[in-house]
Amino acid sequence: MAEFLINSGWNPNLAQIVASTLGAVVLASFGLVWVIFSIWLERKFAGRVQDRIGPNRTGPYGLFQTFADIGKLLTKEDITPKGADKHVYNFAPILAVAGIIAIFAVIPFNHAWVGADLNVGVLYFVAVGSLATLAILLAGWSSNNKYALLGAFRAIAALISYEVPMILSLAVPVLLAGSMSMQDIVKGQSIAYVFVVPVSALIFFVSQLAEVGRSPFDLIEAESEIIAGFNIEYSGMKFAMFYAGEFIHAFVICILTAVLFLGGWRGLGAGEPGYELFGFLMLMAKSVAVYAFVMLLRNTLPRIRIDHMMAFNWKFLVPLALVNLLVVTFLARPFVPDYAAAEALVAEGGLAGLVGTIFGAGFIAELPRAVVLLVANVILFIVATQLLHRYGEAQRSKLGVQAVPPMRATAMASD
Amino acid sequence: MQPNEWLFIGIFFVVALVIPTVPIVLAQLLNPKRPSKMKQEAYECGVETVGDAWVQFKVQYYLYALIFLIFDIEMLFLFPWAVAYNQLGLFALVAMAGFVGILGVALIYAWRKGALEWL
């Protein structure tokens, strides 16, 4: 793009800025367009889970429902509560969306389509992602409402806590790929990291879920306890911005999980030069698969209590992430993939040559490390869940509570 | 990397700020404005609000924030090490294991002191 403008006689600096601006607008609107679709998707999905049809009146399959909602929200009166800190109050919903959209800048959609392949990409998205947390605090603090303030406190306590296991588990893919650039992490995944370090992937996914404030971690906006939490005083389009921000965030965590642990745009030969669009679709398919899982969790799990949420983080996830990091540290070093040697091995032919031609030379290079780490991770996972189970049993016997038997389909029978 | 990537980030931030501002401003132009005294009260279960929102809150939030700060800063040091991991020798691994171990000890200390209990 920039080269094209320079070739047609533009000032190189100006061309760079124009090209960057266009790219930024396209990339950022992608997030917004997606949110319009994902709200429909989520409502439809929730409807199906709850044995309803979901929106089906406006347009084919209710596809225009979100547009109708936008129209409604545009005509709603905007109320600023008495005693609110006006500037902060107005800025919070903007920051809530902007902080999330800004993450899109470092996401590699395929080997060529990436906004800015920063060499500190992982740190960038952690830093920018916490802007949304800041927006929640700003909203709660400036609303001059006790419920909003309580909601904001809860949100901050929960979100900063879950940032700890998230960053600890993020260190593992960085360590395996030897780079903080998102693009390099994708390129290092000849074997997707979810098959190499499943414990890290799980910790990352759970803590990101808590960051978004999705069920089962949705006590940031627990209707039954603190009405709506931090956004209670917001109405009309400002409320809609918080809502949109949450939906974009929910999808962004799915993209990040796909990029960091599911191999991003790679797979089935996608992302090779000439298959750019296929790579993009591959990433989207992976992200939507994760998103479907998030929606399923949201619609089927009850909300957990705040003390349980904090205890689960500090007493389970953080120690587990620390131990996992130590395990990976000591086991991965002797098996650093030697891509050149693997290429030579494939060229020699035989069994390695056959496997290499099917899965690529990178697969062979990363195989020993993947096997060792996978075994270690599975053992770690079993030990951790056993410890958790024992702890639960001990707590229950201390309280004299019988273990709850699994739910039977008695309700179905009585229908 | 090249400076133009940071230029892109800068422009992207501006765009990201403009995008949510547009619908809010649009709504300001379109929506009705009939403010009234009752409407602008803080919403609190329908009864009149007592006092303002600057209430006392639990000290527990501070404790969590402090533990978070310790962890966050120390974890940041992990990342340069993680990037260089593939070239490191045994000494660097042991050193970082000691570092992570200190984090673990800090966690155990906070745990035993009861800082992780939600009261």
Side-chain angles (χ1 to χ4, degrees):
Chain A
M1 176 77 197
E3 284 97 56
F4 172 74
L5 288 178
I6 294 167
N7 288 341
S8 51
W10 282 46
N11 176 342
N13 289 331
L14 189 66
Q16 191 72 57
I17 290 175
V18 169
S20 295
T21 313
L22 275 176
V25 170
V26 169
L27 198 53
S29 359
F30 170 74
L32 276 202
V33 172
W34 172 262
V35 84
I36 288 172
F37 175 69
S38 82
I39 288 176
W40 170 83
L41 184 70
E42 182 124 10
R43 292 178 68 173
K44 209 70 179 163
F45 194 94
R48 289 298 177 186
V49 170
Q50 294 158 5
D51 208 4
R52 295 184 286 116
I53 296 173
N56 67 340
R57 292 283 157 180
T58 39
Y61 304 104
L63 261 173
F64 299 143
Q65 185 63 44
T66 316
F67 294 100
D69 290 344
I70 293 171
K72 187 195 80 171
L73 285 163
L74 273 174
T75 54
K76 286 284 173 189
E77 183 174 357
D78 178 44
I79 301 165
T80 309
K82 198 177 65 181
D85 189 337
K86 286 234 170 48
H87 300 296
V88 180
Y89 179 84
N90 289 329
F91 182 58
I94 297 174
L95 189 65
V97 175
I100 301 303
I101 287 185
I103 296 180
F104 276 101
V106 293
I107 290 175
F109 289 100
N110 62 34
H111 72 92
W113 297 359
V114 51
D117 186 22
L118 298 182
N119 53 1
V120 288
V122 168
L123 283 187
Y124 170 85
F125 94 73
V126 171
V128 169
S130 58
L131 279 182
T133 314
L134 192 63
I136 289 175
L137 183 61
L138 290 182
W141 189 258
S142 64
S143 292
N144 191 33
N145 182 309
K146 296 190 190 76
Y147 285 112
L149 192 63
L150 280 176
F153 280 153
R154 274 185 173 199
I156 298 304
L159 297 191
I160 64 173
S161 296
Y162 274 83
E163 210 138 282
V164 173
M166 183 188 95
I167 303 176
L168 279 175
S169 60
L170 260 182
V172 172
V174 169
L175 178 152
L176 294 181
S179 170
M180 279 196 269
S181 143
M182 304 281 266
Q183 195 68 275
D184 287 351
I185 290 179
V186 172
K187 283 176 184 155
Q189 295 183 67
S190 295
I191 301 171
Y193 286 155
V194 72
F195 299 122
V196 183
V197 280
V199 172
S200 281
L202 200 64
I203 296 173
F204 179 78
F205 181 68
V206 170
S207 46
Q208 284 285 53
L209 211 56
E211 291 272 302
V212 189
R214 274 297 173 100
S215 177
F217 302 109
D218 61 347
L219 33 83
I220 293 161
E221 38 197 60
E223 303 88 358
S224 52
E225 298 159 29
I226 45 174
I227 321 182
F230 65 93
N231 58 16
I232 179 172
E233 289 289 356
Y234 285 87
S235 58
M237 215 56 200
K238 285 179 195 161
F239 167 74
M241 282 302 123
F242 280 116
Y243 194 71
E246 192 212 306
F247 272 84
I248 304 177
H249 200 172
F251 191 61
V252 163
I253 66 160
C254 297
I255 300 186
L256 288 175
T257 311
V259 165
L260 294 169
F261 289 102
L262 299 182
W265 42 260
R266 298 182 63 160
L268 301 177
E272 310 277 331
Y275 292 96
E276 277 86 357
L277 191 62
F278 186 34
F280 172 72
L281 290 178
M282 184 58 105
L283 176 65
M284 282 296 124
K286 286 174 179 174
S287 310
V288 171
V290 180
Y291 193 60
F293 188 57
V294 170
M295 286 194 291
L296 200 60
L297 285 183
R298 182 189 197 189
N299 285 302
T300 47
L301 288 186
R303 182 181 299 140
I304 78 173
R305 237 165 59 190
I306 180 113
D307 57 335
H308 289 173
M309 182 176 175
M310 301 304 266
F312 178 64
N313 177 57
W314 287 108
K315 297 178 181 173
F316 183 69
L317 285 184
V318 172
L320 182 62
L322 282 173
V323 173
N324 182 41
L325 185 64
L326 280 182
V327 167
V328 172
T329 299
F330 281 108
L331 291 183
R333 184 65 188 92
F335 304 103
V336 170
D338 188 348
Y339 291 101
E343 296 270 3
L345 204 61
V346 172
E348 247 172 54
L351 181 63
L354 188 67
V355 177
T357 30
I358 299 171
F359 297 106
F363 180 81
I364 293 187
E366 290 170 22
L367 195 59
R369 183 175 71 178
V371 171
V372 169
L373 286 182
L374 182 63
V375 170
N377 257 249
V378 168
I379 293 172
L380 182 63
F381 184 76
I382 291 170
V383 170
T385 43
Q386 278 301 318
L387 280 176
L388 200 63
H389 184 70
R390 295 268 168 78
Y391 175 76
E393 289 286 309
Q395 289 295 83
R396 273 195 286 274
S397 70
K398 205 163 75 183
L399 293 169
V401 184
Q402 292 284 310
V404 184
M407 238 195 296
R408 302 264 182 263
T410 43
M412 299 282 284
S414 67
D415 271 350
Chain B
M1 287 252 168
Q2 296 119 14
N4 61 19
E5 304 212 317
W6 290 102
L7 173 78
F8 179 82
I9 296 284
I11 293 173
F12 197 86
F13 253 93
V14 175
V15 173
L17 281 172
V18 167
I19 280 185
T21 315
V22 168
I24 289 178
V25 171
L26 200 65
Q28 292 290 339
L29 300 175
L30 288 175
N31 64 14
K33 289 178 193 66
R34 295 182 204 89
S36 74
K37 198 163 179 304
M38 285 301 281
K39 210 186 271 178
Q40 258 137 13
E41 286 290 333
Y43 172 63
E44 222 164 84
C45 305
V47 292
E48 264 180 56
T49 316
V50 180
D52 62 8
W54 301 63
V55 290
Q56 279 194 328
F57 51 87
K58 288 181 6 166
V59 70
Q60 195 64 38
Y61 292 113
Y62 280 116
L63 289 183
Y64 277 120
L66 281 175
I67 304 171
F68 164 73
L69 265 187
I70 298 165
F71 269 85
D72 212 30
I73 293 167
E74 294 201 25
M75 279 182 310
L76 213 54
F77 290 118
L78 276 176
F79 277 86
W81 168 81
V83 168
Y85 176 79
N86 287 346
Q87 290 107 50
L88 291 179
L90 187 64
F91 176 73
L93 297 192
V94 175
M96 193 42 88
F99 186 76
V100 174
I102 292 171
L103 266 182
V105 171
L107 184 68
I108 292 169
Y109 176 76
W111 196 335
R112 293 297 292 272
K113 277 281 175 185
L116 302 181
E117 302 299 324
W118 187 268
L119 301 172

